[in-house]
Amino acid sequence: MAFNARRFVDKQVEEIRKNVGKNTALCATSGGVDSMVCAFLAHRALGRNLIAVFIDDGLMRENEHKTVTTILRKHGIRTVLIRAADDFFKALRGKEDPEDMRKAFRHTFYKTLGKAVRKHRAKFMIQGTIAADVAETKGRIKSQHNVLTQIGISPRRYGLNVIEPLVTLYKPDVRKVGQALGLAKQIHQRMPFPGPGLATRVVGEVTPTKVRMLRKATVIVERELRNVKAFQQFAVLLDDRATGIRKGKRAFGNIIVIRSVQSKNAMTATPTRIPYQILERIQKKITRQIPEVTKVLYDISPKPPSTIEYI
Ligand code: XMP
C-alpha cells in the first residue's frame, strides 16, 4: 500500500500527544532532514510544550547552529542552543577506531541531552531515528549515534524516555512527511547530515584543528556542487598525508576526499558522475584556500562495498 503521509502525521500527532500529555518534551535537532522533520512533527503535536535542542558539539558545518536555530524559531518552535564542543572533543581525544569514536560521541550526546532534560524538567526526548539507522546498527555495519534500545542500552541510563515517531520510515517517506507538514522544500529536501557531524568525515583522531580544516573544505565542496543533484555530497579529511610543494619547498600535507552519492534510502549508493571541470575547480579552491592540504581526491566507490560516510 502506498505510504500516506497525511495519515501518518495525524496518527503520530495523536500518539505523541497521548504519550507526552501535559508534560514537556525535548527534541534534539542536528539540522539533517530526519531530525528537522521530527522537530516539526513534534511541534505540531505539542506546541509550546516542545523544546528543540541544538547541541553545538563543535562538529557541525559552518554557521549551522545559526541556520538551524533561525529556521526553528522562525516557525515558532521554542529552541535552545547548548554549547558543548569541549565535552565532545574531550570524549573523542585519542580515539581512532570508528566504533570507539561513535561510542564516545553517543555517550557524550546522551549525557548532554540528559542534562538538558533535567534542566528543563522535561519528561520525554523525541528523536528522529529512522529505519535505516536501526537496520545498519543491528546489521553491525555501524552503530548510529541515535540507536540505543536496539543494542541493549536503556535510554533511562541517561534519564531519558525516548519517543521515535519516524522509526518505521526510510528517507523518501520522511521527506513526504516533511512535505505533508507544510515545510519549505529547502527543509524537507535538505541533504542528510549525520548526528555525529563532521566526526564521521575525519579519519583518525578528531581534533579541533582537523575539524576546522574539514569545515573549510566542506563549505567549498557544498558551494561548488550546489547545482549537482545528489543524495549527499561532502568533504572528508583522511588520516594519511602526501608530499606536495608549497612555496617551492617540500610539504607533507593533508588529503581531502570529495564524496558525492546518489541514493534513495542510504542503504545502497552510487557515486555521482561529476563533470571533470567541477572537480578541478574544487581542487584548485581547496588547495588555494587551505594551505595545509596538498592533495584532493574523488571517491568513486559505491555502497556496498563502501559506506557513504568514512567512519
Ligand atoms: P553510511 O555511512 O552508513 O550512512 O552509508 C548511511 C546514512 O546514514 C547517515 N549516518 C548517520 N546518521 N547518525 C545519523 O544520524 C549516525 O551515527 C550516522 N552514521 C551515518 C549518513 O550520513 C548516510 O546518510
Side-chain angles (χ1 to χ4, degrees):
M1 206 169 62
F3 174 68
N4 185 322
R6 273 173 201 274
R7 203 175 307 142
F8 180 90
V9 168
D10 290 345
K11 189 158 169 281
Q12 290 305 323
V13 163
E14 199 181 303
E15 282 279 307
I16 295 170
R17 281 190 187 141
K18 201 165 78 197
N19 281 324
V20 176
K22 296 230 172 309
N23 295 300
T24 300
L26 296 191
C27 182
T29 316
S30 69
V33 65
D34 308 338
S35 62
M36 287 300 265
V37 169
C38 187
F40 279 84
L41 178 65
H43 179 247
R44 164 116 14 136
L46 304 174
R48 299 289 297 165
N49 286 347
L50 178 82
I51 304 176
V53 178
F54 183 91
I55 301 176
D56 182 2
D57 52 16
L59 303 164
M60 292 292 169
R61 286 169 292 186
E62 183 102 328
N63 290 326
E64 189 69 358
H65 67 279
K66 271 200 209 113
T67 313
V68 176
T69 54
T70 306
I71 294 175
L72 293 166
R73 289 186 177 132
K74 212 174 88 192
H75 287 82
I77 303 179
R78 280 170 79 190
T79 303
V80 296
L81 173 67
I82 301 177
R83 296 205 183 265
D86 290 350
D87 296 344
F88 282 86
F89 282 118
K90 211 159 117 198
L92 289 165
R93 194 175 299 153
K95 308 253 180 331
E96 295 192 354
D97 173 78
E99 282 300 301
D100 285 349
M101 288 157 77
R102 286 178 166 274
K103 211 160 133 191
F105 180 90
R106 187 176 61 220
H107 183 60
T108 314
F109 178 77
Y110 283 106
K111 237 176 40 190
T112 311
L113 281 178
K115 254 194 249 167
V117 161
R118 287 190 291 283
K119 181 172 169 196
H120 295 281
R121 296 206 170 87
K123 282 254 162 45
F124 296 89
M125 225 277 291
I126 304 182
Q127 66 176 14
T129 319
I130 67 165
D133 303 340
V134 177
E136 298 232 312
T137 304
K138 278 169 80 179
R140 295 178 161 267
I141 292 167
K142 48 183 75 170
S143 54
Q144 303 247 347
H145 83 285
N146 49 3
V147 178
L148 290 177
T149 321
Q150 293 87 344
I151 51 169
I153 302 173
S154 169
R156 292 191 184 271
R157 172 174 157 193
Y158 297 98
L160 300 171
N161 263 315
V162 174
I163 299 176
E164 294 173 321
L166 307 178
V167 78
T168 56
L169 308 185
Y170 282 90
K171 196 77 76 187
D173 289 342
V174 176
R175 296 198 200 277
K176 285 184 198 148
V177 171
Q179 211 173 357
L181 284 163
L183 304 190
K185 194 165 172 208
Q186 308 93 281
I187 305 175
H188 62 76
Q189 293 306 317
R190 245 191 145 205
M191 209 161 44
F193 186 69
L198 298 178
T200 62
R201 298 165 186 177
V202 171
V203 185
E205 187 186 16
V206 179
T207 63
T209 311
K210 284 180 171 177
V211 171
R212 265 196 298 277
M213 205 188 310
L214 178 59
R215 190 175 284 128
K216 279 192 207 160
T218 304
V219 171
I220 298 169
V221 169
E222 286 191 358
R223 189 179 302 141
E224 295 303 319
L225 295 182
R226 66 189 177 282
N227 296 324
V228 174
K229 257 190 115 161
F231 179 78
Q232 245 172 318
Q233 36 202 5
F234 50 85
V236 177
L237 175 63
L238 295 187
D239 200 22
D240 280 332
R241 290 198 289 160
T243 299
I245 309 156
R246 283 282 172 210
K247 295 185 184 154
K249 290 221 173 73
R250 193 186 92 94
F252 196 39
N254 292 96
I255 308 172
I256 288 283
V257 174
I258 305 164
R259 181 84 164 132
S260 172
V261 294
Q262 306 293 317
S263 176
K264 281 207 165 62
N265 57 16
M267 300 300 285
T268 59
T270 51
T272 310
R273 296 194 169 198
I274 298 180
Y276 209 81
Q277 301 90 303
I278 300 184
L279 290 173
E280 283 178 326
R281 201 161 59 225
I282 298 177
Q283 175 276 320
K284 282 203 187 95
K285 292 217 159 149
I286 290 180
T287 47
R288 247 184 231 146
Q289 292 175 29
I290 316 171
E292 301 94 318
V293 177
T294 47
K295 260 194 207 298
V296 178
L297 315 179
Y298 185 58
D299 181 348
I300 56 164
S301 324
K303 174 181 180 176
S306 217
T307 62
I308 296 174
E309 306 287 350
Y310 269 58
I311 71 148

PDB file of all heavy atoms in Angstrom, residues 63-89:
ATOM      1  N   ASN A  63      28.384  27.813  10.349  1.00  0.00           N
ATOM      2  CA  ASN A  63      27.153  28.588  10.609  1.00  0.00           C
ATOM      3  C   ASN A  63      25.902  27.736  10.836  1.00  0.00           C
ATOM      4  O   ASN A  63      24.795  28.262  10.847  1.00  0.00           O
ATOM      5  CB  ASN A  63      26.824  29.554   9.455  1.00  0.00           C
ATOM      6  CG  ASN A  63      27.807  30.676   9.416  1.00  0.00           C
ATOM      7  OD1 ASN A  63      28.280  31.100  10.468  1.00  0.00           O
ATOM      8  ND2 ASN A  63      28.131  31.137   8.226  1.00  0.00           N
ATOM      9  N   GLU A  64      26.079  26.426  10.984  1.00  0.00           N
ATOM     10  CA  GLU A  64      24.915  25.543  11.055  1.00  0.00           C
ATOM     11  C   GLU A  64      24.027  25.872  12.262  1.00  0.00           C
ATOM     12  O   GLU A  64      22.801  25.850  12.167  1.00  0.00           O
ATOM     13  CB  GLU A  64      25.384  24.086  11.112  1.00  0.00           C
ATOM     14  CG  GLU A  64      24.298  23.062  10.978  1.00  0.00           C
ATOM     15  CD  GLU A  64      23.641  22.990   9.592  1.00  0.00           C
ATOM     16  OE1 GLU A  64      23.999  23.783   8.699  1.00  0.00           O
ATOM     17  OE2 GLU A  64      22.758  22.142   9.436  1.00  0.00           O
ATOM     18  N   HIS A  65      24.651  26.203  13.383  1.00  0.00           N
ATOM     19  CA  HIS A  65      23.809  26.478  14.560  1.00  0.00           C
ATOM     20  C   HIS A  65      22.897  27.672  14.313  1.00  0.00           C
ATOM     21  O   HIS A  65      21.734  27.662  14.698  1.00  0.00           O
ATOM     22  CB  HIS A  65      24.634  26.618  15.845  1.00  0.00           C
ATOM     23  CG  HIS A  65      25.527  27.811  15.889  1.00  0.00           C
ATOM     24  ND1 HIS A  65      26.754  27.827  15.271  1.00  0.00           N
ATOM     25  CD2 HIS A  65      25.368  29.007  16.464  1.00  0.00           C
ATOM     26  CE1 HIS A  65      27.295  29.008  15.466  1.00  0.00           C
ATOM     27  NE2 HIS A  65      26.483  29.743  16.197  1.00  0.00           N
ATOM     28  N   LYS A  66      23.442  28.680  13.575  1.00  0.00           N
ATOM     29  CA  LYS A  66      22.599  29.861  13.281  1.00  0.00           C
ATOM     30  C   LYS A  66      21.496  29.489  12.305  1.00  0.00           C
ATOM     31  O   LYS A  66      20.333  29.823  12.490  1.00  0.00           O
ATOM     32  CB  LYS A  66      23.458  30.977  12.673  1.00  0.00           C
ATOM     33  CG  LYS A  66      24.038  31.877  13.712  1.00  0.00           C
ATOM     34  CD  LYS A  66      24.471  33.225  13.105  1.00  0.00           C
ATOM     35  CE  LYS A  66      25.614  33.754  13.933  1.00  0.00           C
ATOM     36  NZ  LYS A  66      26.887  33.798  13.201  1.00  0.00           N
ATOM     37  N   THR A  67      21.879  28.772  11.241  1.00  0.00           N
ATOM     38  CA  THR A  67      20.893  28.406  10.206  1.00  0.00           C
ATOM     39  C   THR A  67      19.748  27.617  10.834  1.00  0.00           C
ATOM     40  O   THR A  67      18.569  27.934  10.628  1.00  0.00           O
ATOM     41  CB  THR A  67      21.574  27.506   9.129  1.00  0.00           C
ATOM     42  OG1 THR A  67      22.796  28.106   8.760  1.00  0.00           O
ATOM     43  CG2 THR A  67      20.686  27.270   7.937  1.00  0.00           C
ATOM     44  N   VAL A  68      20.092  26.589  11.603  1.00  0.00           N
ATOM     45  CA  VAL A  68      19.054  25.697  12.127  1.00  0.00           C
ATOM     46  C   VAL A  68      18.194  26.381  13.193  1.00  0.00           C
ATOM     47  O   VAL A  68      16.959  26.323  13.135  1.00  0.00           O
ATOM     48  CB  VAL A  68      19.694  24.402  12.693  1.00  0.00           C
ATOM     49  CG1 VAL A  68      18.635  23.513  13.327  1.00  0.00           C
ATOM     50  CG2 VAL A  68      20.395  23.645  11.587  1.00  0.00           C
ATOM     51  N   THR A  69      18.833  27.072  14.133  1.00  0.00           N
ATOM     52  CA  THR A  69      18.018  27.705  15.177  1.00  0.00           C
ATOM     53  C   THR A  69      17.143  28.822  14.580  1.00  0.00           C
ATOM     54  O   THR A  69      16.028  29.035  15.020  1.00  0.00           O
ATOM     55  CB  THR A  69      18.880  28.243  16.347  1.00  0.00           C
ATOM     56  OG1 THR A  69      19.877  29.109  15.810  1.00  0.00           O
ATOM     57  CG2 THR A  69      19.546  27.133  17.138  1.00  0.00           C
ATOM     58  N   THR A  70      17.640  29.482  13.547  1.00  0.00           N
ATOM     59  CA  THR A  70      16.821  30.525  12.915  1.00  0.00           C
ATOM     60  C   THR A  70      15.576  29.911  12.268  1.00  0.00           C
ATOM     61  O   THR A  70      14.468  30.423  12.429  1.00  0.00           O
ATOM     62  CB  THR A  70      17.636  31.307  11.853  1.00  0.00           C
ATOM     63  OG1 THR A  70      18.806  31.790  12.478  1.00  0.00           O
ATOM     64  CG2 THR A  70      16.864  32.457  11.251  1.00  0.00           C
ATOM     65  N   ILE A  71      15.766  28.808  11.545  1.00  0.00           N
ATOM     66  CA  ILE A  71      14.609  28.158  10.897  1.00  0.00           C
ATOM     67  C   ILE A  71      13.593  27.746  11.962  1.00  0.00           C
ATOM     68  O   ILE A  71      12.388  28.009  11.842  1.00  0.00           O
ATOM     69  CB  ILE A  71      15.037  26.895  10.098  1.00  0.00           C
ATOM     70  CG1 ILE A  71      15.932  27.267   8.918  1.00  0.00           C
ATOM     71  CG2 ILE A  71      13.811  26.106   9.619  1.00  0.00           C
ATOM     72  CD1 ILE A  71      16.496  26.075   8.140  1.00  0.00           C
ATOM     73  N   LEU A  72      14.073  27.106  13.015  1.00  0.00           N
ATOM     74  CA  LEU A  72      13.154  26.593  14.044  1.00  0.00           C
ATOM     75  C   LEU A  72      12.391  27.744  14.705  1.00  0.00           C
ATOM     76  O   LEU A  72      11.171  27.715  14.843  1.00  0.00           O
ATOM     77  CB  LEU A  72      13.932  25.793  15.104  1.00  0.00           C
ATOM     78  CG  LEU A  72      14.550  24.472  14.609  1.00  0.00           C
ATOM     79  CD1 LEU A  72      15.567  23.946  15.604  1.00  0.00           C
ATOM     80  CD2 LEU A  72      13.461  23.430  14.376  1.00  0.00           C
ATOM     81  N   ARG A  73      13.144  28.779  15.076  1.00  0.00           N
ATOM     82  CA  ARG A  73      12.497  29.914  15.771  1.00  0.00           C
ATOM     83  C   ARG A  73      11.516  30.638  14.862  1.00  0.00           C
ATOM     84  O   ARG A  73      10.459  31.080  15.308  1.00  0.00           O
ATOM     85  CB  ARG A  73      13.553  30.871  16.324  1.00  0.00           C
ATOM     86  CG  ARG A  73      14.280  30.242  17.506  1.00  0.00           C
ATOM     87  CD  ARG A  73      15.249  31.186  18.199  1.00  0.00           C
ATOM     88  NE  ARG A  73      15.841  30.520  19.347  1.00  0.00           N
ATOM     89  CZ  ARG A  73      17.148  30.507  19.621  1.00  0.00           C
ATOM     90  NH1 ARG A  73      18.009  31.150  18.856  1.00  0.00           N
ATOM     91  NH2 ARG A  73      17.591  29.866  20.677  1.00  0.00           N
ATOM     92  N   LYS A  74      11.884  30.744  13.603  1.00  0.00           N
ATOM     93  CA  LYS A  74      11.004  31.407  12.626  1.00  0.00           C
ATOM     94  C   LYS A  74       9.645  30.710  12.555  1.00  0.00           C
ATOM     95  O   LYS A  74       8.622  31.333  12.280  1.00  0.00           O
ATOM     96  CB  LYS A  74      11.669  31.401  11.250  1.00  0.00           C
ATOM     97  CG  LYS A  74      11.304  32.622  10.428  1.00  0.00           C
ATOM     98  CD  LYS A  74      12.072  32.698   9.143  1.00  0.00           C
ATOM     99  CE  LYS A  74      11.319  31.921   8.080  1.00  0.00           C
ATOM    100  NZ  LYS A  74      12.084  31.685   6.872  1.00  0.00           N
ATOM    101  N   HIS A  75       9.658  29.415  12.817  1.00  0.00           N
ATOM    102  CA  HIS A  75       8.402  28.657  12.781  1.00  0.00           C
ATOM    103  C   HIS A  75       7.754  28.543  14.147  1.00  0.00           C
ATOM    104  O   HIS A  75       6.889  27.695  14.371  1.00  0.00           O
ATOM    105  CB  HIS A  75       8.646  27.267  12.188  1.00  0.00           C
ATOM    106  CG  HIS A  75       8.883  27.311  10.712  1.00  0.00           C
ATOM    107  ND1 HIS A  75      10.116  27.622  10.173  1.00  0.00           N
ATOM    108  CD2 HIS A  75       8.035  27.141   9.665  1.00  0.00           C
ATOM    109  CE1 HIS A  75      10.022  27.613   8.859  1.00  0.00           C
ATOM    110  NE2 HIS A  75       8.771  27.333   8.528  1.00  0.00           N
ATOM    111  N   GLY A  76       8.217  29.368  15.070  1.00  0.00           N
ATOM    112  CA  GLY A  76       7.579  29.429  16.388  1.00  0.00           C
ATOM    113  C   GLY A  76       7.934  28.276  17.313  1.00  0.00           C
ATOM    114  O   GLY A  76       7.257  28.035  18.319  1.00  0.00           O
ATOM    115  N   ILE A  77       9.004  27.557  16.992  1.00  0.00           N
ATOM    116  CA  ILE A  77       9.406  26.433  17.848  1.00  0.00           C
ATOM    117  C   ILE A  77      10.379  26.939  18.922  1.00  0.00           C
ATOM    118  O   ILE A  77      11.391  27.577  18.585  1.00  0.00           O
ATOM    119  CB  ILE A  77      10.068  25.305  17.011  1.00  0.00           C
ATOM    120  CG1 ILE A  77       9.086  24.834  15.914  1.00  0.00           C
ATOM    121  CG2 ILE A  77      10.509  24.148  17.898  1.00  0.00           C
ATOM    122  CD1 ILE A  77       9.627  23.739  14.999  1.00  0.00           C
ATOM    123  N   ARG A  78      10.050  26.664  20.183  1.00  0.00           N
ATOM    124  CA  ARG A  78      10.977  27.046  21.265  1.00  0.00           C
ATOM    125  C   ARG A  78      12.279  26.301  21.026  1.00  0.00           C
ATOM    126  O   ARG A  78      12.269  25.079  20.862  1.00  0.00           O
ATOM    127  CB  ARG A  78      10.426  26.607  22.625  1.00  0.00           C
ATOM    128  CG  ARG A  78       9.371  27.516  23.198  1.00  0.00           C
ATOM    129  CD  ARG A  78       8.750  26.847  24.400  1.00  0.00           C
ATOM    130  NE  ARG A  78       9.567  26.947  25.587  1.00  0.00           N
ATOM    131  CZ  ARG A  78       9.311  26.268  26.713  1.00  0.00           C
ATOM    132  NH1 ARG A  78       8.288  25.434  26.773  1.00  0.00           N
ATOM    133  NH2 ARG A  78      10.067  26.427  27.779  1.00  0.00           N
ATOM    134  N   THR A  79      13.381  27.023  21.046  1.00  0.00           N
ATOM    135  CA  THR A  79      14.654  26.395  20.659  1.00  0.00           C
ATOM    136  C   THR A  79      15.756  26.792  21.633  1.00  0.00           C
ATOM    137  O   THR A  79      15.870  27.969  21.976  1.00  0.00           O
ATOM    138  CB  THR A  79      15.051  26.872  19.236  1.00  0.00           C
ATOM    139  OG1 THR A  79      13.969  26.548  18.354  1.00  0.00           O
ATOM    140  CG2 THR A  79      16.305  26.226  18.745  1.00  0.00           C
ATOM    141  N   VAL A  80      16.526  25.809  22.083  1.00  0.00           N
ATOM    142  CA  VAL A  80      17.692  26.166  22.905  1.00  0.00           C
ATOM    143  C   VAL A  80      18.971  25.651  22.234  1.00  0.00           C
ATOM    144  O   VAL A  80      18.972  24.593  21.604  1.00  0.00           O
ATOM    145  CB  VAL A  80      17.611  25.636  24.367  1.00  0.00           C
ATOM    146  CG1 VAL A  80      16.471  26.255  25.129  1.00  0.00           C
ATOM    147  CG2 VAL A  80      17.526  24.124  24.412  1.00  0.00           C
ATOM    148  N   LEU A  81      20.005  26.445  22.398  1.00  0.00           N
ATOM    149  CA  LEU A  81      21.305  26.091  21.836  1.00  0.00           C
ATOM    150  C   LEU A  81      22.209  25.714  23.006  1.00  0.00           C
ATOM    151  O   LEU A  81      22.364  26.491  23.951  1.00  0.00           O
ATOM    152  CB  LEU A  81      21.865  27.311  21.091  1.00  0.00           C
ATOM    153  CG  LEU A  81      23.275  27.220  20.560  1.00  0.00           C
ATOM    154  CD1 LEU A  81      23.387  26.188  19.449  1.00  0.00           C
ATOM    155  CD2 LEU A  81      23.725  28.591  20.028  1.00  0.00           C
ATOM    156  N   ILE A  82      22.771  24.519  22.965  1.00  0.00           N
ATOM    157  CA  ILE A  82      23.674  24.104  24.046  1.00  0.00           C
ATOM    158  C   ILE A  82      25.092  24.056  23.496  1.00  0.00           C
ATOM    159  O   ILE A  82      25.357  23.365  22.508  1.00  0.00           O
ATOM    160  CB  ILE A  82      23.289  22.698  24.568  1.00  0.00           C
ATOM    161  CG1 ILE A  82      21.850  22.699  25.087  1.00  0.00           C
ATOM    162  CG2 ILE A  82      24.246  22.238  25.660  1.00  0.00           C
ATOM    163  CD1 ILE A  82      21.382  21.338  25.559  1.00  0.00           C
ATOM    164  N   ARG A  83      25.984  24.800  24.138  1.00  0.00           N
ATOM    165  CA  ARG A  83      27.362  24.795  23.651  1.00  0.00           C
ATOM    166  C   ARG A  83      28.156  23.741  24.423  1.00  0.00           C
ATOM    167  O   ARG A  83      28.331  23.855  25.626  1.00  0.00           O
ATOM    168  CB  ARG A  83      27.986  26.169  23.840  1.00  0.00           C
ATOM    169  CG  ARG A  83      27.261  27.211  22.990  1.00  0.00           C
ATOM    170  CD  ARG A  83      28.157  28.376  22.664  1.00  0.00           C
ATOM    171  NE  ARG A  83      27.429  29.385  21.904  1.00  0.00           N
ATOM    172  CZ  ARG A  83      27.440  29.458  20.587  1.00  0.00           C
ATOM    173  NH1 ARG A  83      28.116  28.590  19.873  1.00  0.00           N
ATOM    174  NH2 ARG A  83      26.761  30.411  19.973  1.00  0.00           N
ATOM    175  N   ALA A  84      28.560  22.692  23.726  1.00  0.00           N
ATOM    176  CA  ALA A  84      29.216  21.582  24.420  1.00  0.00           C
ATOM    177  C   ALA A  84      30.426  21.056  23.656  1.00  0.00           C
ATOM    178  O   ALA A  84      30.826  19.908  23.823  1.00  0.00           O
ATOM    179  CB  ALA A  84      28.198  20.465  24.637  1.00  0.00           C
ATOM    180  N   ALA A  85      31.007  21.899  22.803  1.00  0.00           N
ATOM    181  CA  ALA A  85      32.111  21.432  21.943  1.00  0.00           C
ATOM    182  C   ALA A  85      33.261  20.835  22.758  1.00  0.00           C
ATOM    183  O   ALA A  85      33.799  19.785  22.405  1.00  0.00           O
ATOM    184  CB  ALA A  85      32.611  22.591  21.082  1.00  0.00           C
ATOM    185  N   ASP A  86      33.622  21.478  23.889  1.00  0.00           N
ATOM    186  CA  ASP A  86      34.763  20.984  24.664  1.00  0.00           C
ATOM    187  C   ASP A  86      34.519  19.558  25.145  1.00  0.00           C
ATOM    188  O   ASP A  86      35.428  18.726  25.126  1.00  0.00           O
ATOM    189  CB  ASP A  86      35.010  21.886  25.885  1.00  0.00           C
ATOM    190  CG  ASP A  86      35.548  23.246  25.449  1.00  0.00           C
ATOM    191  OD1 ASP A  86      35.891  23.372  24.250  1.00  0.00           O
ATOM    192  OD2 ASP A  86      35.592  24.164  26.286  1.00  0.00           O
ATOM    193  N   ASP A  87      33.272  19.286  25.578  1.00  0.00           N
ATOM    194  CA  ASP A  87      32.962  17.930  26.078  1.00  0.00           C
ATOM    195  C   ASP A  87      33.148  16.893  24.970  1.00  0.00           C
ATOM    196  O   ASP A  87      33.664  15.800  25.199  1.00  0.00           O
ATOM    197  CB  ASP A  87      31.493  17.839  26.551  1.00  0.00           C
ATOM    198  CG  ASP A  87      31.241  18.745  27.744  1.00  0.00           C
ATOM    199  OD1 ASP A  87      32.232  19.180  28.364  1.00  0.00           O
ATOM    200  OD2 ASP A  87      30.067  19.024  28.046  1.00  0.00           O
ATOM    201  N   PHE A  88      32.716  17.249  23.773  1.00  0.00           N
ATOM    202  CA  PHE A  88      32.808  16.277  22.673  1.00  0.00           C
ATOM    203  C   PHE A  88      34.265  16.047  22.261  1.00  0.00           C
ATOM    204  O   PHE A  88      34.682  14.911  22.065  1.00  0.00           O
ATOM    205  CB  PHE A  88      31.956  16.735  21.480  1.00  0.00           C
ATOM    206  CG  PHE A  88      30.479  16.456  21.687  1.00  0.00           C
ATOM    207  CD1 PHE A  88      29.665  17.356  22.369  1.00  0.00           C
ATOM    208  CD2 PHE A  88      29.921  15.273  21.231  1.00  0.00           C
ATOM    209  CE1 PHE A  88      28.313  17.092  22.575  1.00  0.00           C
ATOM    210  CE2 PHE A  88      28.575  14.999  21.436  1.00  0.00           C
ATOM    211  CZ  PHE A  88      27.770  15.910  22.107  1.00  0.00           C
ATOM    212  N   PHE A  89      35.027  17.140  22.169  1.00  0.00           N
ATOM    213  CA  PHE A  89      36.429  16.954  21.768  1.00  0.00           C
ATOM    214  C   PHE A  89      37.202  16.166  22.830  1.00  0.00           C
ATOM    215  O   PHE A  89      38.074  15.365  22.506  1.00  0.00           O
ATOM    216  CB  PHE A  89      37.103  18.298  21.480  1.00  0.00           C
ATOM    217  CG  PHE A  89      36.728  18.840  20.124  1.00  0.00           C
ATOM    218  CD1 PHE A  89      36.057  20.050  19.993  1.00  0.00           C
ATOM    219  CD2 PHE A  89      37.034  18.128  18.970  1.00  0.00           C
ATOM    220  CE1 PHE A  89      35.702  20.540  18.744  1.00  0.00           C
ATOM    221  CE2 PHE A  89      36.683  18.605  17.707  1.00  0.00           C
ATOM    222  CZ  PHE A  89      36.021  19.812  17.601  1.00  0.00           C
TER     223      PHE A  89
END
